[in-house]
Amino acid sequence: MNTEHSPIPVAWPIPRVGIIGVGNMGGAMAARLLSQDYLVAVHDIDAQREAQAVALGAMACPTPAGLAASSDVVIVAVVDAAQTEAVLFGPHGAAHALPPGSAVMLCPTIAPADTERFVRELASRGIGWFDAPMSGGPERARDGSMSLMLACEHATLDRHRALVETLSSKVFHLGERPGDGARTKLVNNLLAGINLAGAAEALALASRMGLNLPRTLAVIEQSSGQSWIGSDRLRRALQGDYLPRAHASLLNKDTHLALGMAHAAGADTPIGEQAAAVFAQACERGLAGMDDAIVFELLRRRERG
């Protein structure tokens, strides 16, 4: 279900929302909710990230459990499954303080099996759940136009529909099976990795051929080779802008998670394997903390020999 054209007014009282992990995406979601008058609590291991959210009106909490105690819904926006498990079920985890009837939104890109495991544990405690990977980047998260790929029970979505639609104008309810959000996100991110690696390789070839790169990219953007991620990343790359919006390490993680999912399903993904190898090489060369657009430089240097 795409709810882009069916906004539902926020009901009163507005739910209290806690966000664990206020980095690029979590911080942007916090800013979005605060701009819509939600009460937002935040927790992050990075004090500077917390301070940025507090400056916008959020309340900082020293532990995930402390955050959960003042929240009706907890959004988990950390990096991976290990961090997710720690902030939910660790010694000071949010799940220990959430009452039955509350809900957790799982936004990290993780393996479907991990999502299923977390959902089982939450459900055993009477806590509602959203398998809710997101896509679109910080700018879209900040203005509420990112995509949310939701697997959740219909009753949970109905109860929190206003919050979901405040976060995203592109909500896709994929069904009630836990892990289907994660599966869909990994399929999407494998294609994103393929598209970005392919676009970077093509523009590196254009460089080798002595073509004007901005003009070449303009042609691609109006022709059959266009992709959203290629345009977004390569525009920045041509300006030498590698300030990380999405670290290269994330597409390395996500493409390899997708390959693992494919292998478990008995699927062959040779193009995906080649794309994943590009992001792995970027990380091996010390570029993991750069924006994933850095693969253009990596491939251009390879073209130069």
Side-chain angles (χ1 to χ4, degrees):
M1 173 179 67
N2 188 333
T3 60
E4 183 175 359
H5 300 297
S6 56
I8 294 179
V10 176
W12 185 262
I14 297 176
R16 301 169 301 169
V17 180
I19 302 179
I20 303 175
V22 282
N24 288 340
M25 291 299 288
M29 286 192 288
R32 170 63 178 170
L33 292 177
L34 289 164
S35 75
Q36 301 300 306
D37 297 326
Y38 279 80
L39 299 174
V40 178
V42 298
H43 172 76
D44 199 290
I45 58 173
D46 185 334
Q48 184 176 359
R49 293 289 195 174
E50 276 192 355
Q52 290 170 350
V54 168
L56 296 175
M59 175 182 71
C61 298
T63 66
L67 174 145
S70 62
S71 302
D72 301 305
V73 179
V74 169
I75 298 172
V76 178
V78 296
V79 172
D80 55 25
Q83 290 184 2
T84 300
E85 184 161 24
V87 301
L88 285 178
F89 307 114
H92 301 287
H96 303 312
L98 280 169
S102 56
V104 170
M105 187 175 291
L106 299 167
C107 292
T109 302
I110 57 179
D114 288 320
T115 299
E116 292 168 348
R117 178 165 57 90
F118 298 147
V119 165
R120 283 194 299 269
E121 181 61 29
L122 291 169
S124 74
R125 299 169 183 247
I127 300 170
W129 55 273
F130 292 91
D131 170 15
M134 51 195 172
S135 184
E139 290 185 12
R140 293 184 178 185
R142 191 171 290 106
D143 68 15
S145 66
M146 69 175 181
S147 298
L148 273 179
M149 295 157 247
L150 292 184
C152 62
E153 295 180 340
H154 289 287
T156 304
L157 178 57
D158 288 342
R159 181 176 181 183
H160 298 291
R161 187 180 296 271
L163 170 63
V164 167
E165 293 182 0
T166 299
L167 290 169
S168 168
S169 63
K170 300 177 180 68
V171 179
F172 300 92
H173 188 206
L174 305 167
E176 296 187 292
R177 184 174 68 155
D180 277 358
R183 293 179 185 96
T184 302
K185 179 63 184 298
L186 288 177
V187 167
N188 176 81
N189 280 23
L190 182 61
L191 182 56
I194 290 168
N195 284 344
L196 177 53
E201 183 175 81
L203 209 62
L205 174 60
S207 177
R208 178 67 176 266
M209 301 299 296
L211 295 174
N212 179 289
L213 297 187
R215 291 176 188 168
T216 303
L217 181 58
V219 170
I220 292 171
E221 289 177 329
Q222 299 300 318
S223 304
S224 56
Q226 192 274 339
S227 68
W228 178 85
I229 194 168
S231 293
D232 182 73
R233 302 310 201 261
L234 292 179
R235 286 177 191 168
R236 299 205 297 263
L238 291 186
Q239 296 173 356
D241 177 7
Y242 296 111
L243 181 70
R245 284 77 159 180
H247 294 87
S249 60
L250 294 180
L251 265 182
N252 181 47
K253 171 182 71 76
D254 295 355
T255 52
H256 283 88
L257 282 173
L259 295 181
M261 179 181 70
H263 179 75
D268 188 24
T269 53
I271 300 173
E273 290 173 5
Q274 292 183 44
V278 171
F279 296 102
Q281 186 179 42
C283 292
E284 289 164 2
R285 295 196 177 186
L287 304 174
M290 304 291 285
D291 192 89
D292 53 22
I294 198 67
V295 295
F296 170 66
E297 289 295 337
L298 180 72
L299 294 174
R300 182 160 65 170
R301 292 170 192 168
R302 183 188 297 174
E303 281 289 343
R304 291 171 177 168

